[in-house]
Amino acid sequence: MSDPAPPRAEPAIRVSGVAKTYPSRSGPVEAVAGVSFTVAEGEFVSILGPSGCGKSTLMLMVAGLEAPSRGSLALAGRPVEGPQTRVGLMFQDATLLPWKSVRDNVLFPLRMSGRPMAGATERAGALLALAGLSGFADKRPRELSGGMRQRVALCRALIADPAILLMDEPFSALDAITRDEMVLALGEIVARERKTTLFITHAIREAVFLSDRILVMGRRPATVVAEVAVPFPRPRDPAIEADPAFNALCLDLKDAIHRAMRGPAAAAA
Amino acid sequence: MAIPDTLASPAPAPVLPRGRLLPWRGTLRRILLPLVTAALVLGLWEALVRLRGISPALLPSPSAVAERLVATGPFLLGQAVPTTLETVAGFLIALVLGTGLAVLVSASRLAREALYPNVVFFQLIPKIALAPLFIVWLGIGTGSRLTFAVFIAFFPVVIATLAGLDGVDRDLLRLCRSVGAGAWRTYLHVRFPAAIPHVFAGAKIAITFAMIGVIVGEFITAQAGLGYMILFAASQADMALIFASIALLCGIGLGLYALTALAERVALRWYGG
């Protein structure tokens, strides 16, 4: 980590004209078509769109796990070429290792990277406490509920102190009540840890509650069809869900998604 | 409780749970019921042989087999030693080679495309038919029987292990790549441990297959072993000895399977899935 600090003006994430085409039996399939956006340092940006619209592909490209067919990506000014080690990943499923304890699952990225980190065990304990899992460090994943497992996955994403968190519908496999709880916990933890976050979701209220800014994507191939700023300061209290401005934003977004579903032409109109 | 008028209203659902006829707990019932059935069949067999006066040269009674088993016990146990050792050795070799090939096939696209269809082919054909070839090539010693046992026990291990190695969650593998873990480290810490339940599923098939391989080998060539005893007794028309050998073979087969299943239990407890 002795690299010189990048110029301050560079955004944490820059996506420039990125497209991704997959080969398939019925010819090439375009998953992402010409997407450009930036995420500033410390900003929480959600990508909101219907399932299967190419949002996940976009996240994998930001993480350097998939190469774009066209365009380029950069994290803090450094071009993305290959897997990025300074990002924390979270997926729809917790993907914990059942044979390891909760603590060892949190420490997993450090062990796998082969870069020992001073005080890692203490940091794991602190993160688990922050996620409300203090007494569970020695438990196995199967002893936890789905929501608790996803909290462990969040701690795992944070353990190496990544500059950027990338989350792909991390709460979509949870029940509505657990989900609300997790959204609240994530909002607090991310604000406290001051992480730049790219959050992929198809849930409008979740996106509005968590984000500084929301990019709406249309049907596959994914393009950004609308961009909405959320003016409330973070972290937010659940009470803002009663705010008329909050609900007006949700309705606007719903409308934008409906237009996007009918096709890019209708969305532009 | 008032007895309802059965003409006016249908009888209420029975209050007693079903299965009250056998008032045991589930597990006891699961163990006892098949044992009782087996005992009944043996009893029927015994009765049939005694009442119909069936010749022992055709079908000995279970009690005659048991007597013979006790009488020739030490001798038969001696014969069981090479059979058991070859089975265990064949199984262990198949386990090592099978997991090794599965790792190779899962790691290399070339190996997968070149080898895997052939593995599936061999898994599907009746491999027993190839046993004489092994005798011709490798002679009549332990070597040919062991090789044949490995040959037939190997394929289920490969296929089960590969299913485990391939079944690892894609997102988990992405996570490994994103933290900069190489292929070897990912195998060691993620893919191989994740495949362990599958390895044991293959191993439970392999242990029975290994014994089949050894017995078939003994049928063809051996001068010792329980498979040889069965053929020898058949040539002497000694039906009680045949059944005694088979009974011992069944006991050993069950014991080896039980050991494998026990190892699986220990491994799954560690795995914690």
Side-chain angles (χ1 to χ4, degrees):
Chain A
M1 309 297 159
S2 58
D3 303 24
R8 282 212 145 258
E10 282 298 334
I13 304 172
R14 178 189 290 284
V15 176
S16 321
V18 160
K20 179 74 182 179
T21 308
Y22 288 107
S24 85
R25 259 175 226 192
S26 51
V29 172
E30 199 172 32
V32 179
V35 170
S36 298
F37 64 88
T38 60
V39 181
E41 203 184 314
E43 197 180 14
F44 194 118
V45 171
S46 285
I47 293 181
L48 181 64
S51 289
C53 77
K55 308 185 296 278
S56 302
T57 309
L58 190 60
M59 188 193 94
L60 292 176
M61 287 191 286
V62 174
L65 296 168
E66 292 272 359
S69 309
R70 275 184 287 121
S72 64
L73 302 100
L75 301 186
R78 295 191 196 97
V80 173
E81 289 154 354
Q84 298 298 298
T85 50
R86 297 220 50 218
V87 302
L89 294 175
M90 232 179 127
F91 304 99
Q92 188 170 336
D93 294 312
T95 64
L96 304 178
L97 304 178
W99 61 90
K100 287 196 182 292
S101 69
V102 163
R103 181 189 294 109
D104 285 341
N105 266 291
V106 172
L107 291 168
F108 174 75
L110 296 177
R111 300 257 162 87
M112 288 299 283
S113 68
R115 288 168 304 170
M117 189 171 143
T121 313
E122 290 69 27
R123 178 163 167 82
L127 284 170
L128 286 170
L130 193 60
L133 292 170
S134 294
F136 295 90
D138 293 308
K139 299 259 189 243
R140 294 288 197 91
R142 68 145 182 251
E143 297 171 87
L144 309 185
S145 68
M148 290 160 95
R149 276 183 223 153
Q150 206 51 291
R151 284 169 194 246
V152 177
L154 176 60
C155 295
R156 181 180 66 183
L158 290 167
I159 187 71
D161 200 18
I164 297 168
L165 274 179
L166 300 175
M167 307 187 158
D168 186 3
E169 303 197 4
F171 309 139
S172 61
L174 303 176
D175 65 82
I177 294 170
T178 311
R179 192 176 178 139
D180 286 350
E181 238 174 68
M182 288 295 293
V183 167
L184 206 60
L186 176 69
E188 279 166 15
I189 290 170
V190 167
R192 186 177 319 190
E193 295 263 319
R194 292 176 209 288
K195 296 297 179 201
T196 305
T197 309
L198 187 62
F199 185 82
I200 287 169
T201 183
H202 56 244
I204 295 171
R205 297 188 79 83
E206 189 175 288
V208 174
F209 185 83
L210 287 169
S211 315
D212 295 313
R213 203 148 49 87
I214 299 168
L215 307 173
V216 180
M217 285 202 160
R219 266 191 316 208
R220 179 182 280 244
T223 50
V224 179
V225 296
E227 186 180 333
V228 175
V230 185
F232 310 103
R234 288 194 295 126
R236 294 168 188 154
D237 188 90
I240 68 155
E241 290 212 46
D243 190 318
F246 183 95
N247 287 295
L249 257 178
C250 291
L251 283 175
D252 283 354
L253 284 163
K254 202 168 182 173
D255 194 44
I257 290 172
H258 275 285
R259 270 182 285 133
M261 290 297 280
R262 272 184 262 125
Chain B
M1 187 172 140
I3 296 164
D5 181 358
T6 48
L7 286 175
S9 61
V15 181
L16 293 178
R18 283 174 62 217
R20 224 19 194 333
L21 198 66
L22 302 170
W24 314 314
R25 295 224 152 221
T27 44
L28 196 62
R29 192 177 148 156
R30 275 209 305 279
I31 294 165
L32 274 182
L33 215 49
L35 284 180
V36 168
T37 310
L40 278 176
V41 170
L42 284 178
L44 202 67
W45 175 358
E46 182 83 35
L48 211 66
V49 170
R50 285 180 188 236
L51 295 177
R52 301 291 295 270
I54 294 174
S55 157
L58 203 60
L59 183 66
S61 68
S63 60
V65 172
E67 262 171 48
R68 189 58 184 272
L69 190 58
V70 171
T72 49
F75 172 72
L76 280 182
L77 279 177
Q79 297 298 315
V81 169
T83 307
T84 309
L85 288 182
E86 282 169 20
T87 299
V88 171
F91 164 74
L92 291 176
I93 295 170
L95 200 59
V96 171
L97 291 181
T99 47
L101 185 68
V103 168
L104 180 69
V105 164
S106 76
S108 150
R109 197 168 158 190
L110 179 69
R112 184 187 294 267
E113 285 170 356
L115 295 175
Y116 193 61
N118 293 303
V119 171
V120 173
F121 170 78
F122 273 108
Q123 166 74 352
L124 295 175
I125 62 166
K127 291 176 285 297
I128 297 287
L130 294 157
L133 289 177
F134 284 76
I135 312 300
V136 172
W137 290 332
L138 297 166
I140 57 166
T142 298
S144 68
R145 284 191 298 277
L146 198 60
T147 310
F148 185 62
V150 171
F151 173 66
I152 72 167
F154 166 80
F155 296 99
V157 176
V158 179
I159 286 170
T161 307
L162 188 61
L165 292 171
D166 283 351
V168 178
D169 190 285
R170 283 178 70 182
D171 285 335
L172 188 55
L173 295 178
R174 284 178 177 137
L175 184 69
C176 293
R177 277 175 61 211
S178 98
V179 299
W184 171 240
R185 203 186 283 265
T186 304
Y187 259 96
L188 203 63
H189 293 288
V190 177
R191 293 186 79 168
F192 200 73
I196 280 181
H198 290 82
V199 174
F200 275 96
K204 285 196 294 187
I205 302 173
I207 188 70
T208 54
F209 275 29
M211 183 166 248
I212 292 172
V214 170
I215 297 296
V216 168
E218 286 176 353
F219 276 176
I220 300 176
T221 66
Q223 270 95 55
L226 285 174
Y228 166 73
M229 280 316 296
I230 290 167
L231 272 202
F232 172 78
S235 73
Q236 308 288 311
D238 188 345
M239 292 300 277
L241 185 57
I242 294 183
F243 276 105
S245 303
I246 290 174
L248 187 56
L249 206 50
C250 292
I252 293 166
L254 280 176
L256 292 178
Y257 184 85
L259 282 177
T260 313
L262 191 71
E264 181 188 38
R265 269 180 90 128
V266 173
L268 289 185
R269 183 162 298 176
W270 165 83
Y271 182 80

